[in-house]
Amino acid sequence: EQKFIIDELKSRLNMNSTNSSKPPSTDGYLKPSPKSRRIKSGKKPGKQPGNRGHYLAQVENPDAVIEHIPDKCIGCGKDLTNVETNGMIVRQVFELPTLNLNVTEHIAKKKICDCGTTNIGAFPIEATSYACYGPMLKAFVCYLSTRQHIPVERICELLKDSYNAPVSAGSVVEMINEGALGLNDFLIKVKQLLKDSNVVHADETGLRVESSLHWTHALSTDNLTLYDLNKKRGKDAMDDLGVLGSLNGTLVHDCWKPYFKYDNVSHGLCNVHIARELTAAKETSQKWASKMTQLLTDTYYLVQEAKSNNKSSLESDQLTTINKDYKKILKIAHKENPEVVDSVKRRGRRKRSKTYNLLLRLETYQQEVLRFATDFNVPFDNNLCERDIRMVKIAQKISGGFRTTAGAKAFLAFRSYLSTATKQEVNQLWALQQLFFNKPWMPNTLPSDP
């Protein structure tokens, strides 16, 4: 018992972002060197020979043209006013225009018909009150808040300094809430498209809302993103989201047990999570962990090579060899980690080391761990959803949390909208402008397979 506690405390002290699920921000000054699975191309960093590169090119029709004509010779001082031009050099300066709010007055005139009916001219949709902000400004405010994660007070400061626009903090919040209400149809469409997807990634993370812990649940494909807020983390919260129970494809996740309660889908596990835990096991002199890491890495490269050759699967003999080697490594692992039998019966679950728990997980979910090798639509990791959910953590890091549940849900609705637009190569600011013109952009029914 005492040895188990000591080993457990040692493993906790040695945890960092490479051998656990701790975020890189907790590594401090002892941040380990990053490692990548990328295959080296052999090319030098930077622009490659023969590549035209990227540069600021001149435009054919500039907004303004200013001529600079010499009036006297810099050599002898002669007047050049009547001398003909025999050449020119053109330079273009790209500059921000002078910024200011553009105020448009709308006048609805009245006319009385012979029948006595009073008729009033129709206001455009953006003219909602005596004096109000337009759709373009509202879209820009929501872009600054939900995409650039700028706090409300600083948005007000930015608008005052750049546009001389006296927008209050309350107005900013109202604009965000107004936009979120217009996203209901979009969210319904995304849910339906996710249900029809062959591969869906899932993840969840904690979020401070109204000074208490809530959970953000995220579902992702290559072209769709959906966020939802719930006080719960488990299956009840996922059921409330209303997507996972209707899936027919593969669900990729980090092996959190509640996901396995959905037996209507196949499951694929994030091997980056597993690789980090194997790294932790290697640091405690577990020889089998190095072998398993190497097997997963080699299999990953085999899959990449097969994909590059336009193959849809590995050869059957390759899969047979991979599965045999996998089981051999597990046998070695069991020899290195014999199960301890308690001499005294104890209530509850028996304590096991992290390494032994990892071993049992690899043994139980061998098919799910190797799903990326048997189905090329399934990726090696769950990085897609983890990247999507990182935006929520960035927002929390900046603001510390959300004061209201409505504010948190509004933010997540916008993040679903903007992330999906980005994946489908739609300009985010344009999509927000469409939203405030009451014509929200809708995602295309694109295939979700990688």
Side-chain angles (χ1 to χ4, degrees):
E1 180 76 18
Q2 187 175 4
K3 183 180 182 302
F4 175 84
I5 294 174
I6 292 173
D7 291 343
E8 184 71 15
L9 291 174
K10 282 183 177 179
S11 66
R12 290 186 184 184
L13 284 172
N14 293 328
M15 281 184 181
N16 55 51
S17 61
T18 65
N19 58 22
S20 71
S21 294
K22 293 181 68 176
S25 58
T26 63
D27 290 335
Y29 293 111
L30 300 177
K31 187 181 291 291
S33 300
K35 295 181 181 179
S36 175
R37 298 191 312 274
R38 293 178 181 174
I39 302 173
K40 292 185 177 180
S41 64
K43 299 177 181 178
K44 293 182 179 180
K47 189 176 82 69
Q48 301 302 311
N51 191 320
R52 292 181 60 188
H54 299 279
Y55 58 91
L56 182 62
Q58 293 186 342
V59 297
E60 292 184 8
N61 300 307
D63 298 299
V65 176
I66 301 175
E67 294 184 345
H68 304 278
I69 304 173
D71 54 0
K72 63 180 179 181
C73 178
I74 59 174
C76 65
K78 179 182 176 181
D79 184 16
L80 301 177
T81 303
N82 297 321
V83 178
E84 292 185 2
T85 301
N86 67 348
M88 62 181 179
I89 301 172
V90 177
R91 295 180 180 178
Q92 293 184 349
V93 178
F94 291 71
E95 182 58 282
L96 288 173
T98 302
L99 302 177
N100 214 332
L101 280 185
N102 181 28
V103 180
T104 301
E105 183 175 82
H106 297 275
I107 301 174
K109 294 191 175 182
K110 298 180 181 180
K111 289 186 177 182
I112 301 176
C113 180
D114 293 339
C115 68
T117 303
T118 301
N119 301 274
I120 304 175
F123 284 109
I125 194 170
E126 63 268 21
T128 57
S129 63
Y130 174 75
C132 55
Y133 294 112
M136 305 286 278
L137 187 143
K138 292 177 181 178
F140 186 54
V141 165
C142 291
Y143 175 79
L144 294 175
S145 175
T146 61
R147 175 62 187 99
Q148 300 301 337
H149 306 288
I150 300 178
V152 172
E153 293 292 344
R154 287 175 56 195
I155 291 175
C156 298
E157 181 182 326
L158 185 151
L159 293 173
K160 178 66 177 175
D161 291 345
S162 57
Y163 290 94
N164 195 28
V167 182
S168 68
S171 295
V172 171
V173 174
E174 286 181 7
M175 292 175 191
I176 295 171
N177 291 335
E178 177 189 342
L181 288 175
L183 290 173
N184 288 333
D185 290 342
F186 166 83
L187 296 175
I188 292 171
K189 178 73 177 292
V190 170
K191 287 183 180 182
Q192 186 56 53
L193 292 176
L194 284 169
K195 292 176 184 178
D196 297 335
S197 299
N198 294 327
V199 179
V200 175
H201 295 248
D203 201 2
E204 73 292 327
T205 190
L207 183 66
R208 300 293 297 180
V209 180
E210 295 183 1
S211 301
S212 65
L213 178 62
H214 287 58
W215 292 93
T216 298
H217 295 264
L219 299 178
S220 299
T221 68
D222 284 347
N223 49 69
L224 300 167
T225 306
L226 178 68
Y227 299 95
D228 190 52
L229 183 72
N230 204 295
K231 287 187 175 182
K232 297 180 180 180
R233 186 186 182 191
K235 188 173 183 293
D236 288 344
M238 299 175 192
D239 289 342
D240 290 344
L241 186 54
V243 175
L244 296 185
S246 302
L247 293 179
N248 295 312
T250 301
L251 184 64
V252 181
H253 53 85
D254 57 6
C255 202
W256 191 46
K257 279 291 182 67
Y259 288 121
F260 286 105
K261 293 183 179 179
Y262 292 98
D263 54 9
N264 53 296
V265 295
S266 301
H267 294 269
L269 298 186
C270 176
N271 285 288
V272 169
H273 276 78
I274 292 172
R276 287 197 292 260
E277 293 184 77
L278 288 170
T279 299
K282 284 189 289 185
E283 292 172 354
T284 58
S285 302
Q286 295 281 330
K287 295 180 181 179
W288 71 272
S290 298
K291 296 179 182 292
M292 183 61 77
T293 301
Q294 191 61 52
L295 175 64
L296 293 176
T297 303
D298 291 344
T299 305
Y300 169 79
Y301 286 133
L302 279 175
V303 171
Q304 295 303 111
E305 183 181 1
K307 286 181 177 179
S308 66
N309 293 327
N310 296 321
K311 293 182 179 179
S312 59
S313 64
L314 294 177
E315 303 293 338
S316 59
D317 57 336
Q318 289 178 309
L319 289 173
T320 300
T321 301
I322 291 168
N323 279 284
K324 283 183 178 179
D325 291 344
Y326 189 102
K327 291 178 178 178
K328 286 179 183 177
I329 295 170
L330 291 180
K331 287 183 179 179
I332 297 171
H334 276 293
K335 289 180 181 178
E336 292 185 28
N337 298 273
E339 187 173 7
V340 178
V341 180
D342 293 335
S343 56
V344 181
K345 288 187 177 181
R346 302 174 185 270
R347 296 181 62 184
R349 186 181 299 175
R350 182 186 300 125
K351 287 186 177 181
R352 295 190 177 105
S353 67
K354 289 183 178 295
T355 300
Y356 195 78
N357 283 333
L358 172 61
L359 167 58
L360 293 180
R361 203 178 324 129
L362 289 169
E363 190 171 46
T364 304
Y365 300 114
Q366 177 175 344
Q367 185 179 3
E368 288 76 14
V369 170
L370 296 175
R371 183 78 63 189
F372 75 98
T374 57
D375 183 355
F376 281 7
N377 289 325
V378 178
F380 181 81
D381 51 48
N382 193 32
N383 287 352
L384 173 64
C385 198
E386 291 184 357
R387 285 193 297 268
D388 288 337
I389 214 163
R390 188 177 300 154
M391 294 297 102
V392 178
K393 305 305 289 186
I394 290 174
Q396 179 170 262
K397 186 180 291 186
I398 292 171
S399 63
F402 290 86
R403 294 182 180 181
T404 65
T405 300
K409 288 186 175 181
F411 171 79
L412 294 177
F414 271 107
R415 285 305 315 157
S416 300
Y417 188 61
L418 295 177
S419 178
T420 301
T422 301
K423 289 178 178 180
Q424 299 200 14
E425 299 182 354
V426 173
N427 183 284
Q428 296 179 62
L429 188 55
W430 176 86
L432 288 171
Q433 291 167 357
Q434 293 298 106
L435 171 64
F436 284 99
F437 277 113
N438 284 346
K439 297 183 292 184
W441 168 80
M442 289 293 177
N444 295 322
T445 53
L446 299 175
S448 61
D449 296 338

